Amino acid sequence: MSALEKLLRPRSVAVVGASADPAKTSGRPVAYLRKHGFQGSIYPVNPKASDIGGLRCYPDVRSLPGAPDVAIVVLGAERTQQAVRDLADIGTGAAIVLASGYAETGEEGARRQQELREAAGGMRILGPNTIGLVNLTDRIPLSASGALEIDELHDGAVGLVSQSGGILGALLSRAAARGIGLSKLISTSNEADLELADFVEALADDPATRVIALYVESIRNPRKFRAAARKAFDAGKPVVAFKIGRSESGAQAAASHTGALAGADGMYDALFEDTGVIRAQTFSDLLDISAALAHPRKLRGRRIAVLTSTGGAGTLVADCLGMAGFELPPPDAATGAALRALQPGVHAALDRNPIDVTLAGLQPELLRGAIRIVQGSGNYDALVVIVGSSGVAQPELMAGALNDTLAASDMPVMAYISPHAPKAAEVLGRYGIPAFHTPESVGAAMAAMWQAHARRGLARPAGQAAPAALVDCPENGSLDEAQAKALFARFGIPGVKEIVVRSEAQAVQAAASLGPRVVLKLLSGEITHKSDVGGVAVNVASADVPARLRKMTDDVQRHTGSRPDAFLVQEMVSGAAEVIVGLHRDPLGDAILLGMGGVVAELVRDTVLLMLPDDGSGLMPDQVETALRRLKTWPLLDGYRGRERADVPALIQAVVAFSRMAAALRERLIEAEINPLFVKPLG
């Protein structure tokens, strides 16, 4: 067995610093191992006790009868280092370090964490500052979390990795209350050694896990994470991530908690998009989406039926599904007739969706019949059943009725529980029927199922490598506009006709060749926002160039304190859409920013980020087109209100060329931006 396999499925566990008092944190690991039926050997280590709970207790690590597969270290930070060193010396596979006081506390703690890693040598470390892990599949709790006080652990298909120990316990208890089965729960915390990506990769290989759920504070090794997430994607296992730190205060709290640096939140969107990870927007969505995706039934279309016996709740769900982009077509004539035959004499609304089956909440057989009719109609891709007040009084009856219909179809079926009925959610969960307490969660879960289905058919894009002959770039430092556009042109990005001038006479001559109207610009490698200092004049008549040049010179000197000596005279371009494209560097990786450009770029902020491939290549055209269509302002490029359609193929080609430039120049290129990139009409 590898060290990671030993950690997840150990046959022997030592608890170093074990207490005989199960009320203490140090007493919990032994108690939980025995409570939940661990079948392997347990070795408590405590020099002050001869036995703990009937188990022989060893005075120190070197007195153990053999090297354990895993050791849980429940000592303080000052004594942990030596215990870890001793465990490594005897050949222990992995150690779980619960102690805090490491990188999360600052510089001194970071030094102590490095010493801990060095003490471990070749032994793997989970933690420090972790609450451990729980293998529910094999009944192996390697944790001190108080959430393990529950009597029964429900195993299932969701593997969960959290960078917060406390959140691991919160999710375990919430999942148990909802009847959601989990396969593995792992708290990585400070990640001195083993990290998020290691366990994503391990769960991708775990036959008991169908969905991988992540509580993310920061990703320390983006390249490793990308590889692991893609492995899970290729294995057909959706990865769902809830990333905290979207606000500035949240990012600071996350960094102080784990001692890790966080990337910009928009970059996490780009990273998750690139790797096929589904992002949960709320904490509750993390479990809700994962539970829906863990069900083997797949959503293959966007037509949803809502079956309800309470109109208000059905409307809430229908509204959330509509906001998520789903269709709710009414029943066709044959389906409506079949539903009416179930309730003769009842004036229910059976010609619309939500479909009101008034008596279904009181008559489980009626509910079974209505579900089977909807399943057999061929008009719907999924079904949401509203569980009303009867779910409080008779949860087993309602859940049983739903469960009885599952074999008749592979259509996804989920439930929205309208009243507060936690028992109903637990029972439905145990039957494998995703159940939700809010209509928003129904919409989020259905959207994630569709996202997972849509992504399955997409091949992971392979980038285009930049030609080796274009890698060399002689310029250094900040480039002025003329130098930058010369560099862009080498990679196939065309620019407007322009002439560099240094006098009025040269400007007049240039305008005569480019006119009748031109653009006049300050030429500087230091001043990037030329408009702010009066350094841009558009639509200038050739005859007005001398006067406009003098005014620009005076304006720039007044704003900056220095007199400019170089300018650009450019051909005037009109009737073009304006786009921004730029390179964004981040701890998570490099990305191409794409969006609406011009002087309103920072005001509108309609942009997307596309991660550059980590193999040194550029973007593919299909990626760029998909990103453009995600912009709110995409219609402006696509013929909005009678406008001419923009030359999107040429735009895509330019963005691909820009990305290849970024890939070719690598770390030499600190930042680059084209704003605006003019997109003329098609052709």
Side-chain angles (χ1 to χ4, degrees):
M1 296 173 72
S2 70
L4 199 54
E5 288 173 324
K6 288 181 179 180
L7 177 62
L8 291 172
R9 284 174 285 275
R11 292 165 296 194
S12 56
V13 178
V15 182
V16 184
S19 169
D21 184 356
K24 293 182 176 180
T25 299
S26 55
R28 290 175 182 171
V30 170
Y32 292 155
L33 283 163
R34 305 188 77 184
K35 173 185 175 74
H36 293 293
F38 175 59
Q39 297 299 305
S41 302
I42 304 173
Y43 305 132
V45 178
N46 186 333
K48 298 179 180 179
S50 58
D51 74 272
I52 290 179
L55 296 171
R56 178 184 172 185
C57 195
Y58 298 87
D60 54 50
V61 168
R62 296 185 183 277
S63 303
L64 293 172
D69 287 338
V70 170
I72 305 173
V73 183
V74 287
L75 300 169
E78 66 283 352
R79 295 167 58 204
T80 292
Q81 315 288 70
Q82 186 57 51
V84 165
R85 187 172 289 107
D86 291 343
L87 287 164
D89 287 346
I90 67 170
T92 305
I96 300 172
V97 178
L98 272 62
S100 56
Y102 290 92
E104 81 281 1
T105 64
E107 196 172 312
E108 178 61 23
R111 182 191 59 78
R112 189 180 299 117
Q113 185 163 303
Q114 180 58 33
E115 292 174 352
L116 175 71
R117 186 67 194 89
E118 291 169 359
M123 181 178 68
R124 306 311 302 263
I125 293 285
L126 177 61
N129 193 30
T130 180
I131 200 66
L133 69 86
V134 183
N135 175 347
L136 289 95
T137 309
D138 302 301
R139 296 291 187 269
I140 307 174
L142 305 174
S143 174
S145 172
L148 289 166
E149 292 292 337
I150 58 177
D151 291 330
E152 187 177 356
L153 298 175
H154 295 291
D155 65 319
V158 178
L160 194 146
V161 189
S162 169
Q163 290 182 316
S164 165
I167 294 298
L168 182 143
L171 290 168
L172 174 59
S173 57
R174 282 170 167 76
R178 296 272 305 279
I180 298 173
L182 304 173
S183 59
K184 314 291 185 296
L185 290 96
I186 302 144
S187 162
T188 61
S189 296
N190 285 27
E191 299 184 347
D193 173 24
L194 292 167
E195 58 184 86
L196 204 68
D198 291 301
F199 293 104
V200 172
E201 184 176 5
L203 292 173
D205 290 329
D206 179 30
T209 299
R210 286 200 294 267
V211 177
I212 302 169
L214 308 177
Y215 180 91
V216 182
E217 293 178 341
S218 180
I219 292 176
R220 291 171 171 81
N221 190 331
R223 181 180 288 269
K224 187 176 178 180
F225 177 83
R226 289 171 85 169
R230 286 169 179 163
K231 179 178 180 179
F233 181 91
D234 291 343
K237 298 187 178 184
V239 178
V240 183
F242 176 68
K243 167 68 177 66
I244 64 164
R246 287 177 289 183
S247 67
E248 184 177 346
S249 57
Q252 290 173 349
S256 63
H257 183 211
T258 64
L261 294 175
D265 191 65
M267 282 296 293
Y268 277 95
D269 282 333
L271 176 64
F272 293 154
E273 177 75 22
D274 177 67
T275 53
V277 173
I278 296 168
R279 185 166 189 175
Q281 296 300 319
T282 68
F283 179 55
S284 60
D285 282 348
L286 180 59
L287 272 182
D288 286 337
I289 290 174
S290 298
L293 292 173
H295 203 283
R297 295 164 184 265
K298 307 303 178 187
L299 182 62
R300 297 183 175 88
R302 303 179 72 88
R303 303 167 304 166
I304 313 298
V306 178
L307 207 58
T308 182
S309 60
T310 168
T315 302
L316 283 171
V317 170
D319 193 42
C320 289
L321 289 170
M323 291 293 291
F326 290 96
E327 304 167 21
L328 281 86
D332 59 22
T335 303
L339 289 168
R340 276 190 292 276
L342 285 177
Q343 303 180 97
V346 175
H347 301 289
L350 300 174
D351 59 348
R352 66 197 66 173
N353 192 359
I355 303 165
D356 191 350
V357 282
T358 306
L359 300 179
L362 302 174
Q363 301 177 16
E365 192 53 45
L366 178 60
L367 178 61
R368 290 185 184 92
I371 292 174
R372 290 185 177 120
I373 290 169
V374 169
Q375 288 174 326
S377 71
N379 297 325
Y380 301 104
D381 302 299
L383 171 65
V384 179
V385 177
I386 309 298
V387 177
S389 56
S390 57
V392 179
Q394 299 174 302
E396 291 284 356
L397 276 179
M398 294 300 297
L402 280 166
N403 186 57
D404 290 346
T405 63
L406 295 181
S409 166
D410 63 354
M411 176 189 293
V413 177
M414 55 181 64
Y416 166 57
I417 303 172
S418 180
H420 180 65
K423 182 63 177 176
E426 181 193 354
V427 173
L428 285 162
R430 280 197 276 108
Y431 278 117
I433 300 166
F436 306 98
H437 292 294
T438 69
E440 294 81 7
S441 294
V442 176
M446 201 73 81
M449 292 179 73
W450 176 250
Q451 190 177 350
H453 168 75
R455 285 180 173 177
R456 284 262 62 85
L458 296 177
R460 192 166 68 243
Q464 295 182 354
L470 295 177
V471 173
D472 180 55
C473 174
E475 298 90 355
N476 285 290
S478 180
L479 307 187
D480 65 33
E481 184 171 335
Q483 292 171 322
K485 283 195 284 196
L487 178 62
F488 296 152
R490 291 170 61 188
F491 285 87
I493 305 170
V496 296
K497 296 174 184 176
E498 62 187 23
I499 300 171
V500 177
V501 300
R502 298 185 181 276
S503 67
E504 284 187 25
Q506 290 177 349
V508 170
Q509 186 178 2
S513 66
L514 296 173
R517 292 189 170 271
V518 296
V519 175
L520 187 63
K521 286 185 183 177
L522 167 71
L523 184 63
S524 170
E526 286 71 43
I527 301 172
T528 53
H529 295 285
K530 292 180 282 290
S531 298
D532 295 349
V533 298
V536 178
V538 300
N539 203 23
V540 180
S542 297
D544 298 332
V545 165
R548 196 65 190 82
L549 185 68
R550 289 192 293 273
K551 183 178 187 308
M552 182 175 292
T553 300
D554 293 340
D555 287 346
V556 172
Q557 185 174 14
R558 186 174 68 254
H559 280 97
T560 67
S562 61
R563 193 169 185 80
D565 60 0
F567 302 88
L568 277 176
V569 180
Q570 300 174 332
E571 64 174 325
M572 178 72 190
V573 175
S574 60
E578 297 185 15
V579 170
I580 183 173
V581 58
L583 170 67
H584 180 74
R585 295 205 183 278
D586 187 89
L588 292 177
D590 298 337
I592 300 300
L593 177 141
L594 184 60
M596 181 54 62
V599 294
V600 298
E602 294 181 8
L603 179 65
V604 176
R605 294 185 179 275
D606 182 22
T607 60
V608 292
L609 287 165
L610 287 168
M611 294 291 291
L612 279 174
D614 47 16
D615 60 2
S617 60
L619 300 173
M620 291 293 286
D622 288 351
Q623 290 177 277
V624 178
E625 182 174 358
T626 300
L628 286 169
R629 291 178 179 275
R630 285 166 48 200
L631 295 172
K632 298 183 185 72
T633 45
W634 160 253
L636 296 178
L637 298 172
D638 197 38
Y640 180 68
R641 289 196 170 183
R643 290 174 56 140
E644 287 188 272
R645 295 182 67 186
D647 199 338
V648 172
L651 170 59
I652 292 171
Q653 185 178 356
V655 175
V656 169
F658 187 93
S659 75
R660 296 174 72 195
M661 177 192 70
L665 296 176
R666 300 177 187 261
E667 68 277 356
R668 292 193 61 193
L669 186 63
I670 297 170
E671 62 178 330
E673 180 180 287
I674 303 175
N675 184 30
L677 179 63
F678 287 117
V679 189
K680 294 182 179 183
L682 186 63

